[in-house]
Amino acid sequence: MQPIPLFDPQSEYRVLRNEHILDALSEVLDKGIFVAGPEVKRFEAEIALLTRTKHAVSTANGTDSLILTLLANGIGPGDEVITSPFTFFATAEAIVRVGATPVFADIDERTYNLSPAHAEAKITARTKAIIPVHLFGQPADMDAFAELAHRYSLIIIEDACQAIGAEYKGKQVGSLGHAACLSFYPTKNLGGFGDGGMVTSNDDEMADRIRVLAFHGMGKLKYYHEAVGLNSRLDEIQALMLRIKMQKLSAWTKRRQELAQRYTNQLVQLNDVILPYCDSACSHVYHLYVIQVPDPDKLLLHMDQHGITTARYYPCPLHLQQAFSSLGYNVGDFPVSEKAAEHALALPVHPFLTDDQQQYIIDTLVAFSHVK
């Protein structure tokens, strides 16, 4: 058995190579338009159609998408933004970058997503927004967050960087808050051959503001700047590659879901493994298939010795990160997040994983664990 990676961009490229991707790339290079060109505009329109939103504004990466959305809503020094401590660093990093204060609330034990009840308990007069993260590809409880937004006059920003294509009660992720942020980092379900991001929204003024801020704060008149913004633009080559990959997204998502179901069907026999929970109101797109085990480092080593790459997501919750030590959180503040961080391990679930490879992964894990 060849080594099995957690992600497999090489197999992805081999599939796309047969889609005349190099010919399409040559056309873009021949035109000589590399920034803010027609491919970017087409890609934005296609993302808006996918997410069923009025606007999709491209950015340089998912982190910038979060920063720009916060800036566009006037969030800055003195403001608080509530989010999850069990997510990638960028979610809270963006809050700090605009001068606001991240306020953490614990997660739901089953979904790993921010708990609306815990989030509500953290709301103060300084709270301006909540950022629920659709972690690992499963949507958060957005009806509950919408209710909080209405009751407390808050902005809801979806961190949908891991969840493109997922649905919540029949609605697309990306359309469930005031705005949503996407990432096209190469390992994402829709990943580029480099970095990229997007903000989706149905708010005309917010979308226009993000467009201006993403281009140095420059409005319609060239070299006349309305605000101090960022240089955060998606380039033509990435837009082209993502447009080609987007044609495969539905099939790739279906394959991820099939692999996830097969894992669940066969691993349910293990008494020391907690399997991912899928809310029946959602379609989970399985950016990652994350289990909990008593000793994830020991299992990681065992799998690695058998040529299988697994990974810890996320071994240190955000409230215990050195970078956020000034916020004053301690061990024990968010026990559900801390438990997940201590025990979570991701198995390969990319769409190029073969049935034989997956069965080998399952057999290797079963041999390590204890059958019920």
Side-chain angles (χ1 to χ4, degrees):
M1 180 69 67
Q2 292 293 317
I4 302 173
L6 189 63
F7 302 102
D8 194 358
Q10 291 174 311
S11 291
E12 182 179 280
Y13 173 68
R14 284 193 289 270
V15 170
L16 293 170
R17 191 167 53 194
N18 297 326
E19 303 290 324
H20 307 290
I21 194 168
L22 296 180
D23 292 338
L25 176 59
S26 294
E27 289 183 19
V28 169
L29 295 175
D30 288 340
K31 289 176 183 177
I33 302 173
F34 303 125
V35 176
E39 293 296 335
V40 170
K41 290 180 172 59
R42 293 185 188 113
F43 182 53
E44 288 176 334
E46 289 165 359
I47 289 292
L49 184 63
L50 173 69
T51 57
R52 304 170 198 162
T53 54
K54 291 174 65 177
H55 303 282
V57 184
S58 58
T59 68
N61 53 69
T63 306
D64 279 3
S65 294
L66 290 162
I67 291 171
L68 288 161
T69 303
L70 291 165
L71 289 173
N73 283 282
I75 295 170
D79 297 331
E80 295 177 348
V81 179
I82 298 170
T83 194
S84 167
F86 188 58
T87 181
F88 182 59
F89 187 78
T91 310
E93 179 183 35
I95 298 167
V96 173
R97 278 293 165 203
V98 302
T101 301
V103 174
F104 299 117
D106 217 343
I107 60 173
D108 178 88
E109 188 172 24
R110 297 185 301 174
T111 66
Y112 304 123
N113 288 327
L114 181 65
S115 161
H118 287 303
E120 182 175 12
K122 297 290 184 175
I123 294 173
T124 71
R126 297 172 61 188
T127 306
K128 294 296 185 293
I130 300 176
I131 304 180
V133 182
H134 305 312
L135 198 68
F136 305 144
Q138 175 157 238
D141 184 355
M142 294 305 294
D143 280 355
F145 286 115
E147 196 276 330
L148 292 180
H150 176 74
R151 185 140 46 95
Y152 295 99
S153 300
L154 301 175
I155 299 295
I156 302 297
I157 302 168
E158 299 173 71
D159 183 335
C161 290
Q162 298 184 0
I164 189 168
E167 292 187 356
Y168 172 82
K169 297 184 178 179
K171 297 179 181 179
Q172 278 282 335
V173 157
S175 67
L176 304 170
H178 295 90
C181 300
L182 304 175
S183 169
F184 305 117
Y185 186 74
T187 59
K188 294 297 193 290
N189 291 27
L190 180 62
F193 289 168
D195 245 322
M198 192 79 72
V199 181
T200 58
S201 180
N202 288 312
D203 187 314
D204 297 341
E205 291 185 9
M206 189 191 307
D208 288 343
R209 185 70 173 164
I210 291 170
R211 288 190 186 95
V212 168
L213 289 170
F215 202 162
H216 298 288
M218 187 164 63
K220 294 180 180 179
L221 292 177
K222 193 172 183 179
Y223 303 129
Y224 288 82
H225 301 262
E226 302 172 6
V228 176
L230 305 177
N231 176 19
S232 184
R233 295 168 289 187
L234 186 68
D235 66 68
E236 282 287 283
I237 291 174
Q238 292 305 327
L240 168 70
M241 299 304 174
L242 288 163
R243 289 189 66 223
I244 293 172
K245 287 187 177 187
M246 197 168 169
Q247 299 172 30
K248 305 286 188 183
L249 180 61
S250 178
W252 288 348
T253 298
K254 183 179 179 181
R255 177 59 177 166
R256 287 177 181 272
Q257 291 167 336
E258 290 171 350
L259 291 166
Q261 188 60 56
R262 190 177 181 207
Y263 273 135
T264 298
N265 290 344
Q266 295 201 40
L267 297 179
V268 71
Q269 64 178 305
L270 304 179
N271 63 9
D272 56 352
V273 177
I274 298 175
L275 303 176
Y277 168 82
C278 181
D279 189 330
S280 61
C282 303
S283 68
H284 196 319
V285 295
Y286 292 99
H287 171 60
L288 293 166
Y289 187 92
V290 176
I291 61 175
Q292 287 193 55
V293 294
D295 190 340
D297 288 328
K298 188 174 181 180
L299 177 56
L300 185 151
L301 178 61
H302 171 79
M303 301 297 272
D304 184 64
Q305 290 171 341
H306 289 79
I308 302 164
T309 302
T310 59
R312 299 285 306 278
Y313 286 88
Y314 295 94
C316 180
L318 298 187
H319 67 289
L320 300 180
Q321 294 282 350
Q322 180 180 346
F324 295 139
S325 59
S326 63
L327 297 176
Y329 292 107
N330 297 298
V331 173
D333 285 344
F334 305 111
V336 182
S337 296
E338 290 169 30
K339 178 184 175 184
E342 185 179 354
H343 296 289
L345 189 74
L347 305 179
V349 73
H350 59 79
F352 308 101
L353 190 70
T354 67
D355 289 349
D356 286 345
Q357 286 176 320
Q358 187 186 27
Q359 192 60 54
Y360 176 68
I361 294 169
I362 292 169
D363 292 344
T364 305
L365 178 53
V366 169
F368 177 85
S369 301
H370 301 289
V371 177
K372 290 179 181 177

